Amino acid sequence: MPETASPQPDHAPTKGDKKAAPPKPATTKPDDDVVGKAYDGRIMRRLAGYLAPYKLQTGVSAAAILLKAFTDIAGPFLLAVTIDTYLAPEAGKQHWLTHFLSRTPLTGVTEIALLYLAALSITFGLEFVQTYLMQWTGQKIMFDLRSQIFRHIQRMHIAFFDRNPVGRLVTRVTSDVDALNDMFTSGVLAIFEDICSLSFIIVVMLSMSWPLALLTISVIPGIAYATHLFRKHVRDSYRRQRAATAKINSFTQEYVSGMSVVQLFNREKRAFRDFSAVNLENKEAWTDAIFAYALYYPVVEFLASIAIALVIWRGGIAVLGATQHTWLSHHLYVTASGASAYSLFGNIVTLGTLIAFIRYAQRFFYPIQDLSDKFNILQAAMAAAERIFKLIDTVPDIPAPAKIIPGDHSGRIEFRNVWFTYQQLTTDQEAALQQIRRENASSQIRHSERSAAESKNPEAAHLTSTAQTLSTSNPNTQQPTTNNSPADHPLLRDIEWILRGVSFTIEPDHTAAIVGHTGAGKTTITALMMRFYDVQSGTVLVDGVDVREQDVHALRLRFGIVLQDSFLFTGTIAKNIRLGTESITDEQVERAAEEVNVADYIRSLPEGFNTPVIERGATLSTGQKQLISFARALAHRPGILILDEATSSVDTETELRVESALARMITGRTSVLIAHRLSTVQRADTILVMHKGQLREQGSHQQLLAHRGLYYKLYQLQYKDQELAALTATGSPATA
């Protein structure tokens, strides 16, 4: 796990207590492989909740679909009426609409044409209403869902982003939400439309000639089998497409963010090969799906053509009155012209009926093909919804307190026997830690009772105070504690503890410097202060209150932080300093820039404080971004200031600018400095020396040098050359 707790978007630590692993192709997590059912009632009920605010629009769309399905069947029926009434009239065969039409053929045909035009107009109008309302509703749902996902992601703890690649989260907000939009706009209601169309067509065909209707649907078993094979093949292809898309997103985000490293080490060819492998997976998945579609639709068309051919064959025979096919008929009718017309179980098959039936048979197979396609949309939406709801249902590891206790705004920071690890603990390990916490709480209660008893005995209290003074006067030791150590428990011995029983206090308006080798736990300490993570054992107090009992938003408002790798957002310099806090005026922005000696540079730019900043501030130097970050921290007037290696990556001129402003920055507030530069460390009121997760020494610069412990060794290795160089430049004698 990275030591740094800086909220970088890609969460690839560039400076921390652990060496970052080299970039590798993104791997697919199980949630990318979720296939999903074609219909999941539990998920569908939950998705229906997003439709609730727009139930009026949805209801109107459903009604429009129902009416449209009814008007769609009017065309072939009107064609049959035209043929049977005016073009090729048959004796004994009258449609109900004939009674409302003119007996004059020319007038009657004109009336039917007007009716057909009216039906088409109504169909087009209903289709417009349905399409517009559902597309509008789909966009509203996408807006609501994306807002909910992004809001939830913002509430997640930092450890969540350590475990989840940014590319996967981007896929949830983009591709998965798009899949749900397809379901709402082209899925559920389209399936409803296809079912309505099929139902109306079947009813009309059965009423016209149910034997011909049976001939039409006789190919349905073959289509059903072909659809089953198609869905099975496309289901696997879609699963691989979604997994490959997530890989591409993660891989592209990672390598684009680290493009400078890729180019520096000439890894372009290797990166391209890795990307080509991921891209090939996506291409192959789509190729397989294309093959399935290319095979499925011709098969359905072929079977539909067979059904239509059967209708033409048997229906044509019935119209012509072929006596050898008497199995189709129980009655023989004689027309006015003397020609015979065989009925199909009592219903006369006229030319108009046959032509209309062929038209209905052609339309009958369109919804079937569409249903197969909509099945895949529905299945993809179910899988996307399952992944989205899995993200939304993820509970942050940083729970809100049941009762919020505000701090006293004193700026006091205290660590009490803090144990912390980035590892995910098992249930048994959590139970063991809870037992240790209970035992430690009981020990603290006994200690408090003993202290209360000693307060009644002045002599005993004086002896206790003297012993505590002697123990804390030695900078090489921490105050003794009677707490049980998690490292002594059998289930907790193998855990890689980042902090081990760390206890210290930083008084209000004091400056503390934290030093130590990489991996000692320096940045973790600052992350725990702001409650980016919760400790496994012990207590972290800020402003006199446990951070777990404070409102997280209010707690973090108390802090201002400047990291070694400054992050700037797309916008302007002023917006990056203000960072969305509208209460910060333009005058305060400029004053903060003045205090860190960057205002002159900003004003020299063509647009001053309104100069555009592109992503990550790529057009600015490291020093310029760092100074803007200093101004950002000061503009928010924090009660506690954290500088995490804030001057280690700047040039000499920038460092001089920062050094001259640093004294003003730390005045009047509690400050925590993580630094390797002696000039920064020396000005601290107290220095915390970390080593392998433990606080080994604590004291001022001169005290720690006099003790000749771990800090003295660090001074000899890292700081002495810096001090000698500074003294030589100033001509002052060495004092160390």
Side-chain angles (χ1 to χ4, degrees), residues 492-506:
L492 305 175
R493 289 174 183 169
D494 296 331
I495 293 177
E496 185 181 358
W497 294 102
I498 304 300
L499 298 181
R500 295 172 172 268
V502 174
S503 299
F504 63 83
T505 300
I506 303 176

Side-chain angles (χ1 to χ4, degrees), residues 5 7 11 148-164 169 388-399 424 530-533 552 556:
H11 300 280
Q148 182 183 5
I149 296 172
F150 189 78
R151 191 182 304 114
H152 181 74
I153 290 175
Q154 285 186 307
R155 289 197 292 260
M156 297 306 294
H157 51 284
I158 299 300
F160 171 82
F161 301 99
D162 295 335
R163 298 191 297 266
N164 292 271
L169 299 178
I388 288 174
F389 291 147
K390 180 180 178 181
L391 171 61
I392 293 176
D393 293 339
T394 301
V395 179
D397 288 346
I398 308 296
Q424 292 288 312
M530 295 175 285
R531 207 189 174 196
F532 286 150
Y533 305 88
V552 174
R556 292 172 183 168

Side-chain angles (χ1 to χ4, degrees), residues 333-345:
Y333 292 86
V334 180
T335 65
S337 60
S340 59
Y342 281 84
S343 68
L344 298 178
F345 294 93

Side-chain angles (χ1 to χ4, degrees), residues 443-701:
S443 176
Q444 290 176 3
I445 293 174
R446 291 193 299 269
H447 176 72
S448 299
E449 293 174 348
R450 185 165 57 252
S451 298
E454 290 174 350
S455 65
K456 298 179 181 179
N457 187 342
E459 183 178 355
H462 174 71
L463 293 175
T464 301
S465 176
T466 302
Q468 292 176 348
T469 301
L470 291 174
S471 66
T472 57
S473 63
N474 184 356
N476 193 35
T477 61
Q478 299 184 63
Q479 293 190 20
T481 176
T482 57
N483 289 343
N484 297 323
S485 171
D488 295 334
H489 196 283
L491 292 176
L492 305 175
R493 289 174 183 169
D494 296 331
I495 293 177
E496 185 181 358
W497 294 102
I498 304 300
L499 298 181
R500 295 172 172 268
V502 174
S503 299
F504 63 83
T505 300
I506 303 176
E507 297 297 337
D509 299 337
H510 280 57
T511 300
I514 306 177
V515 300
H517 294 295
T518 299
K522 304 185 297 298
T523 304
T524 296
I525 290 176
T526 61
L528 296 179
M529 294 177 186
M530 295 175 285
R531 207 189 174 196
F532 286 150
Y533 305 88
D534 271 345
V535 300
Q536 279 76 29
S537 181
T539 308
V540 178
L541 296 95
V542 174
D543 295 334
V545 179
D546 190 337
V547 295
R548 290 170 293 194
E549 297 177 343
Q550 299 189 44
D551 176 70
V552 174
H553 179 71
L555 171 68
R556 292 172 183 168
L557 282 177
R558 295 280 295 142
F559 287 88
I561 184 170
V562 181
L563 304 171
Q564 177 186 5
D565 298 310
S566 302
F567 187 88
L568 299 183
F569 295 90
T570 302
T572 64
I573 292 179
K575 287 183 178 179
N576 271 279
I577 295 177
R578 186 178 287 110
L579 209 62
T581 305
E582 299 299 334
S583 59
I584 299 177
T585 64
D586 293 339
E587 292 75 13
Q588 291 173 327
V589 169
E590 295 187 15
R591 190 182 310 122
E594 293 279 2
E595 291 181 7
V596 298
N597 300 324
V598 73
D600 292 340
Y601 163 73
I602 296 176
R603 292 192 181 101
S604 68
L605 297 173
E607 300 181 52
F609 283 86
N610 292 321
T611 299
V613 177
I614 65 174
E615 185 179 5
R616 293 177 172 270
T619 56
L620 301 174
S621 69
T622 302
Q624 292 163 353
K625 290 189 291 184
Q626 197 74 305
L627 289 173
I628 293 174
S629 296
F630 273 99
R632 173 195 295 168
L634 276 185
H636 287 79
R637 301 298 170 188
I640 302 172
L641 181 65
I642 296 177
L643 305 179
D644 189 351
E645 299 285 4
T647 61
S648 63
S649 60
V650 298
D651 54 50
T652 304
E653 180 183 355
T654 303
E655 182 183 3
L656 292 175
R657 287 173 176 262
V658 173
E659 292 293 340
S660 62
L662 194 57
R664 295 193 298 270
M665 294 180 64
I666 65 178
T667 300
R669 56 173 57 91
T670 304
S671 302
V672 180
L673 315 177
I674 299 176
H676 288 137
R677 303 211 178 191
L678 181 64
S679 58
T680 304
V681 174
Q682 277 184 320
R683 66 167 47 94
D685 298 307
T686 183
I687 300 173
L688 309 177
V689 183
M690 298 296 299
H691 184 66
K692 295 183 178 179
Q694 294 180 309
L695 178 59
R696 297 291 295 273
E697 297 174 2
Q698 181 176 353
S700 67
H701 174 68

Side-chain angles (χ1 to χ4, degrees), residues 26-168:
T27 56
T28 302
K29 291 295 181 68
D31 60 332
D32 288 320
D33 293 326
V34 173
V35 176
K37 302 176 182 178
Y39 179 84
D40 190 318
R42 175 184 56 85
I43 293 179
M44 189 60 73
R45 285 191 297 271
R46 188 167 179 178
L47 288 173
Y50 293 93
L51 273 174
Y54 316 108
K55 55 186 177 183
L56 176 62
Q57 292 82 357
T58 305
V60 173
S61 296
I65 286 175
L66 188 63
L67 293 175
K68 178 178 175 295
F70 179 77
T71 57
D72 278 341
I73 65 174
F77 173 75
L78 293 176
L79 180 62
V81 172
T82 302
I83 295 173
D84 291 339
T85 305
Y86 301 110
L87 303 182
E90 291 282 353
K93 179 64 177 179
Q94 295 289 328
H95 295 280
W96 62 268
L97 187 60
T98 306
H99 303 290
F100 302 95
L101 298 174
S102 172
R103 295 184 179 275
T104 305
L106 185 60
T107 305
V109 170
T110 303
E111 291 173 346
I112 293 176
L114 292 175
L115 288 174
Y116 190 65
L117 180 61
L120 287 178
S121 300
I122 294 173
T123 299
F124 292 153
L126 293 172
E127 186 171 4
F128 168 78
V129 170
Q130 180 266 327
T131 302
Y132 177 80
L133 288 180
M134 283 316 301
Q135 291 291 340
W136 181 88
T137 302
Q139 291 300 318
K140 288 287 188 179
I141 292 174
M142 288 174 65
F143 177 83
D144 296 341
L145 194 55
R146 283 187 173 132
S147 299
Q148 182 183 5
I149 296 172
F150 189 78
R151 191 182 304 114
H152 181 74
I153 290 175
Q154 285 186 307
R155 289 197 292 260
M156 297 306 294
H157 51 284
I158 299 300
F160 171 82
F161 301 99
D162 295 335
R163 298 191 297 266
N164 292 271
V166 175
R168 181 172 294 114

Side-chain angles (χ1 to χ4, degrees), residues 85-339:
T85 305
Y86 301 110
L87 303 182
E90 291 282 353
K93 179 64 177 179
Q94 295 289 328
H95 295 280
W96 62 268
L97 187 60
T98 306
H99 303 290
F100 302 95
L101 298 174
S102 172
R103 295 184 179 275
T104 305
L106 185 60
T107 305
V109 170
T110 303
E111 291 173 346
I112 293 176
L114 292 175
L115 288 174
Y116 190 65
L117 180 61
L120 287 178
S121 300
I122 294 173
T123 299
F124 292 153
L126 293 172
E127 186 171 4
F128 168 78
V129 170
Q130 180 266 327
T131 302
Y132 177 80
L133 288 180
M134 283 316 301
Q135 291 291 340
W136 181 88
T137 302
Q139 291 300 318
K140 288 287 188 179
I141 292 174
M142 288 174 65
F143 177 83
D144 296 341
L145 194 55
R146 283 187 173 132
S147 299
Q148 182 183 5
I149 296 172
F150 189 78
R151 191 182 304 114
H152 181 74
I153 290 175
Q154 285 186 307
R155 289 197 292 260
M156 297 306 294
H157 51 284
I158 299 300
F160 171 82
F161 301 99
D162 295 335
R163 298 191 297 266
N164 292 271
V166 175
R168 181 172 294 114
L169 299 178
V170 171
T171 301
R172 299 294 165 271
V173 180
T174 55
S175 301
D176 286 342
V177 175
D178 285 337
L180 291 182
N181 179 59
D182 291 340
M183 184 195 72
F184 284 117
T185 58
S186 305
V188 175
L189 287 182
I191 291 175
F192 175 67
E193 180 180 2
D194 291 335
I195 292 175
C196 289
S197 297
L198 277 175
S199 301
F200 286 147
I201 290 173
I202 289 175
V203 169
V204 171
M205 289 196 303
L206 288 175
S207 65
M208 294 177 68
S209 175
W210 68 264
L212 287 183
L214 292 179
L215 284 178
T216 303
I217 64 177
S218 64
V219 297
I220 292 297
I223 293 178
Y225 181 71
T227 302
H228 170 72
L229 296 179
F230 169 74
R231 292 189 322 199
K232 182 179 179 181
H233 188 84
V234 172
R235 175 185 175 126
D236 179 70
S237 298
Y238 277 1
R239 179 192 62 79
R240 291 187 289 124
Q241 288 171 24
R242 291 189 293 269
T245 299
K247 285 184 180 181
I248 290 175
N249 289 340
S250 297
F251 186 94
T252 304
Q253 186 277 331
E254 184 176 22
Y255 273 80
V256 170
S257 299
M259 188 56 66
S260 59
V261 178
V262 173
Q263 295 180 354
L264 176 64
F265 289 93
N266 297 318
R267 303 293 291 175
E268 293 92 342
K269 291 184 178 180
R270 175 60 183 271
F272 182 76
R273 286 199 302 268
D274 292 341
F275 178 80
S276 297
V278 177
N279 197 25
L280 181 62
E281 292 183 24
N282 185 62
K283 182 185 76 72
E284 290 178 346
W286 278 105
T287 301
D288 291 344
I290 292 171
F291 175 80
Y293 275 97
L295 187 62
Y296 172 71
Y297 283 111
V299 168
V300 174
E301 288 285 350
F302 177 73
L303 293 175
S305 299
I306 292 178
I308 294 173
L310 291 174
V311 169
I312 294 174
W313 175 41
R314 290 298 183 181
I317 290 175
V319 170
L320 295 175
T323 56
Q324 63 268 33
H325 295 283
T326 55
W327 65 274
L328 286 174
S329 175
H330 285 294
H331 306 281
L332 177 63
Y333 292 86
V334 180
T335 65
S337 60

